[in-house]
Amino acid sequence: MSVGFIGAGQLAHALVRGFAAAGVIATHRITASSPDTDLPTIQQLRKMGVNLTTSNKETVSRSDVLFLAVKPHIIPFVLDEIGPDIEERHLIVSCAAGVTISSIEKKLQLHRAEPKVMRCMTNTPVVVREGATVYATGTHAQVEDGKLLEQLMASVGYCTEVEEDLIDAVTGLSGSGPAYAFTAVDALADGGVKMGLPRRLAVRLGAQALLGAARMLLDSEQHPGQLKDNVCSPGGATIHALHVMESGGFRSLLINAVEASCVRTRELQFLADQEKISPAAIKKTTLNKVMQQSGVTAEVAGVKTRGINMFNTSSPKTNKN
Amino acid sequence: MSVGFIGAGQLAHALVKGFTAAGVIATHRITASSPDTDLPTVSGLRKMGVNLTTSNKEAVNKSDVLFLAVKPHIIPFVLDEIGPDIEDRHLIVSCAAGVTISSIEKKLLQYRTAPKVMRCMTNTPVVVREGATVYATGTHAEVEDGKLLEQLMASVGYCTEVEEDLIDAVTGLSGSGPAYAFTALDALADGGVKMGLPRRLAVRLGAQALLGAAKMLLDSEQHPGQLKDNVCSPGGATIHALHVMESGGFRSLLINAVEASCIRTRELQSLADQERISPAAIKKTTLDKVLQQPGVTSSDNIYIIPALSQK
């Protein structure tokens, strides 16, 4: 089985590193494409033995499971380009926040009757094989396709199937979650440094405390509140600390964060569903690089010379100006 | 080597679970003592095969490394009781927040010229072998004693030696840290549930996200801010979320928490250093149970509880 990545940025890099560490697929069976060869992640992918190309079409032809690992607003552009090259064997897995299965199926159905599409939301700790991934299965993908994806993603962390309409909430929670944690550890380390600890030790202890607590919760049947109670001895240091956190509305800030991320995800989805990509969203140099790939013509890429109607779903031969 | 615990509560239970999972010591070589046999942790320890006793003296006799795993205000009481029973071989390791090595040595020097004392600050994730422990070495403990303790504690997580005067700050950070995390996880799950996730999935995903991020940080040379940047795609969901957190002073709350826990630890240390344990701090029933132990007479406690002295 071969795996391809459209996009060679943070997400592709993290997944490849995780898969390679898990030994679930050999790197020479992985291809990744990106028009931008300057990305730092590209160097690292190359060092890992991944086949790199600037041609999305090449990635498609060399893979069975194809991850779409580009930013959400790029997805329609990519689908227009690779649509004609999708074969029956292909399993398309979109990792793009806010991009619905139905929007992807709609585009691919211009070229193929039953495109196998899945949607997943993962997160960067896949790079250390402690990711959190959920996925939903599209109309024409089978249960075995789900099992295949689950096998891949379970090798790099927790993975479970969900209803598609939960994915935006998952984005807000575990998709964005690592950023909340990095911010928290930075602040905890500041606290430690304020009270006299050297920085490196403070970062180490803060991260270790979070990791240990999370591991306890995952391994326990107990409520997080019960675990919190167990750590708060009467009149002790910890309950004093918790009071100042509660006084500042700590919990509420985290609820707000999950909500804000989820709401923004739905916003992005809504914008994408309107199906108008402004030429302002693509760099001219990037577009030129794509057009230089063999097999890509202006019509095939759905791009007009004046760069306006990226979502022209009528016949590619129509020339609108 | 045998290990003893004075105290059979949360900390003793967590350490024993971790040590046994790590296979670093067999449970039949562990003894734990507590006057209170009703503690839920006591039955947990018994089930693991630990020798349980109501006699602190028995725990001392059966061990080489002796952990003091009782609440800080109980420490002086315990030291007065077991002081006469400490032998040359004993390594006393206090886990009590805010209790200084010098205060322990001072008490034990009444009975022994060179008591080997160490002080550590650990945390409950030792129970899953992901603890965070620091230790400081007392006047008469040797480097090998430090290495022995480090071997034990490193089997259940991260362990490093520090200067004793950093231990209060460590208490505020990684000692109390798990409570900050449990609170955060409860709130994150609430956020997930608000946006439509079932509770179990929300708790699972929140905990997994924190765990994964912490592991990334520990495995990386990069600054947490750089790792945060890497997750924030332009105009994306995550940077929107971070903005609302910053607007509410999220970082400041965590700095406040570390500071509050550290300051309270120093307060407790200051109270303890005043060396007056109010009888109000010990339950009469507990005291009676202790006095019923073989070898314990009321005169052992004369420094602490004059009101109860039978003289």
Side-chain angles (χ1 to χ4, degrees):
Chain A
M1 178 196 62
S2 300
V3 169
F5 289 87
I6 304 293
Q10 295 286 345
L11 181 59
H13 176 248
L15 282 171
V16 171
R17 266 186 76 178
F19 291 157
V24 76
I25 180 167
T27 48
H28 66 265
R29 301 192 75 87
I30 303 177
T31 308
S33 55
S34 169
D36 181 354
T37 47
D38 288 335
L39 290 173
T41 44
I42 294 206
Q43 293 291 352
Q44 286 152 355
L45 284 166
R46 191 173 283 124
K47 274 190 211 148
M48 286 192 270
V50 169
N51 305 302
L52 280 161
T53 170
T54 45
S55 163
N56 290 337
K57 285 173 174 306
E58 185 182 338
T59 300
V60 174
S61 49
R62 295 175 77 152
S63 54
D64 307 309
V65 177
L66 185 69
F67 285 93
L68 306 183
V70 290
K71 294 188 173 59
H73 66 281
I74 304 286
I75 292 279
F77 184 50
V78 162
L79 293 174
D80 276 336
E81 184 197 346
I82 64 173
D85 305 296
I86 303 298
E87 310 272 328
E88 270 193 43
R89 74 176 190 280
H90 282 112
L91 176 62
I92 313 292
V93 181
S94 165
C95 306
V99 177
T100 58
I101 289 177
S102 76
S103 71
I104 298 172
E105 287 178 340
K106 194 167 163 188
K107 282 224 160 271
L108 292 180
Q109 270 160 343
L110 302 174
H111 307 283
R112 181 146 223 96
E114 297 189 342
K116 293 193 295 181
V117 178
M118 305 192 65
R119 174 181 177 187
C120 83
M121 168 51 50
T122 182
N123 65 4
T124 46
V126 290
V127 73
V128 291
R129 298 183 62 196
E130 289 288 359
T133 306
V134 300
Y135 68 94
T137 312
T139 320
H140 309 289
Q142 304 300 319
V143 167
E144 305 87 63
D145 297 314
K147 292 296 161 209
L148 176 60
L149 179 64
E150 197 167 318
Q151 247 186 325
L152 268 174
M153 301 309 295
S155 76
V156 292
Y158 174 70
C159 180
T160 191
E161 185 184 10
V162 295
E163 300 87 336
E164 190 185 3
D165 59 12
L166 296 188
I167 292 188
D168 297 333
V170 173
T171 306
L173 176 52
S174 55
S176 296
Y180 314 155
F182 297 137
T183 306
V185 175
D186 204 10
L188 286 168
D190 279 345
V193 170
K194 176 173 178 176
M195 305 320 289
L197 300 180
R199 173 67 59 171
R200 273 183 74 101
L201 179 64
V203 174
R204 185 78 206 244
L205 290 173
Q208 184 64 38
L210 283 205
L211 187 146
R215 173 67 71 202
M216 275 180 81
L217 184 51
L218 286 170
D219 285 5
S220 164
E221 284 302 308
Q222 292 186 306
H223 191 285
Q226 179 64 56
L227 293 173
K228 179 267 285 173
D229 289 355
N230 293 350
V231 188
C232 292
S233 48
T238 305
I239 195 71
H240 276 68
L242 281 186
H243 185 194
V244 305
M245 284 166 69
E246 300 284 7
S247 301
F250 179 78
R251 292 175 186 256
S252 188
L253 293 182
L254 286 167
I255 299 177
N256 293 348
V258 175
E259 181 181 57
S261 172
C262 177
V263 166
R264 177 61 178 170
T265 300
R266 291 172 182 166
E267 239 170 50
L268 292 170
Q269 177 181 315
F270 178 71
L271 290 171
D273 283 347
Q274 287 169 31
E275 296 194 10
K276 290 186 333 181
I277 302 294
S278 152
I282 313 277
K283 282 194 281 197
K284 185 76 179 335
T285 46
T286 303
L287 187 53
N288 277 353
K289 285 181 192 168
V290 172
M291 304 254 290
Q292 279 159 30
Q293 300 309 317
S294 55
V296 179
T297 63
E299 291 87 4
V300 168
V303 173
K304 303 306 162 197
T305 47
R306 297 265 188 243
I308 301 292
N309 289 335
M310 307 276 291
F311 280 106
N312 184 6
T313 53
S314 58
S315 156
K317 292 215 166 58
T318 304
N319 205 349
K320 287 200 178 126
N321 230 342
Chain B
M1 180 195 60
S2 300
V3 169
F5 288 87
I6 304 292
Q10 295 285 343
L11 181 59
H13 180 250
L15 281 172
V16 171
K17 258 186 93 167
F19 290 157
T20 34
V24 76
I25 182 166
T27 45
H28 67 267
R29 304 192 72 90
I30 303 178
T31 308
S33 59
S34 169
D36 183 351
T37 46
D38 289 335
L39 290 174
T41 44
V42 169
S43 25
L45 285 166
R46 190 173 284 123
K47 276 190 207 142
M48 284 191 271
V50 168
N51 306 304
L52 279 161
T53 170
T54 45
S55 163
N56 289 339
K57 286 175 178 302
E58 186 181 336
V60 174
N61 294 338
K62 295 175 86 154
S63 55
D64 307 307
V65 177
L66 185 70
F67 284 94
L68 305 182
V70 290
K71 296 188 173 58
H73 66 282
I74 304 288
I75 293 277
F77 184 51
V78 163
L79 292 174
D80 276 336
E81 184 197 344
I82 65 173
D85 304 295
I86 303 297
E87 310 272 328
D88 268 358
R89 73 178 189 280
H90 282 111
L91 175 62
I92 313 291
V93 181
S94 165
C95 306
V99 178
T100 58
I101 288 176
S102 78
S103 72
I104 298 171
E105 287 177 342
K106 193 167 162 186
K107 283 226 162 272
L108 293 179
L109 282 166
Q110 295 163 5
Y111 306 99
R112 190 139 218 99
T113 46
K116 294 192 294 182
V117 178
M118 306 193 64
R119 175 182 178 186
C120 82
M121 168 50 52
T122 183
N123 65 3
T124 46
V126 290
V127 74
V128 291
R129 300 184 61 198
E130 288 289 359
T133 306
V134 301
Y135 69 93
T137 312
T139 320
H140 310 288
E142 305 292 340
V143 166
E144 306 86 62
D145 299 314
K147 291 297 162 211
L148 176 61
L149 179 64
E150 197 168 317
Q151 247 186 328
L152 269 173
M153 300 311 293
S155 76
V156 293
Y158 174 70
C159 180
T160 190
E161 185 185 10
V162 295
E163 300 87 337
E164 190 185 5
D165 59 12
L166 296 187
I167 291 188
D168 297 334
V170 172
T171 307
L173 176 53
S174 55
S176 298
Y180 314 156
F182 296 137
T183 307
L185 287 167
D186 205 9
L188 284 169
D190 280 345
V193 170
K194 176 173 180 178
M195 306 318 291
L197 300 181
R199 173 69 57 175
R200 275 184 73 101
L201 179 63
V203 173
R204 185 79 207 241
L205 291 173
Q208 185 64 39
L210 276 212
L211 187 142
K215 185 149 210 287
M216 275 179 80
L217 186 48
L218 288 170
D219 284 4
S220 163
E221 285 302 310
Q222 293 187 306
H223 191 285
Q226 179 64 58
L227 293 172
K228 180 266 287 171
D229 289 355
N230 293 351
V231 188
C232 291
S233 47
T238 306
I239 194 70
H240 275 69
L242 281 187
H243 185 195
V244 305
M245 284 166 68
E246 300 283 8
S247 299
F250 179 79
R251 293 175 186 256
S252 189
L253 293 181
L254 287 168
I255 299 176
N256 293 347
V258 174
E259 180 180 58
S261 172
C262 178
I263 287 177
R264 177 61 179 168
T265 300
R266 292 174 183 165
E267 239 171 49
L268 292 170
Q269 178 181 314
S270 169
L271 290 171
D273 282 348
Q274 289 169 30
E275 291 192 15
R276 283 171 358 162
I277 305 296
S278 154
I282 314 278
K283 280 194 282 197
K284 183 75 180 340
T285 46
T286 303
L287 186 54
D288 275 356
K289 285 181 193 167
V290 173
L291 289 178
Q292 278 159 35
Q293 298 311 316
V296 178
T297 65
S298 62
S299 60
D300 289 340
N301 308 310
I302 192 167
Y303 299 109
I304 302 175
I305 308 169
L308 298 169
S309 161
Q310 288 175 22
K311 285 218 157 104

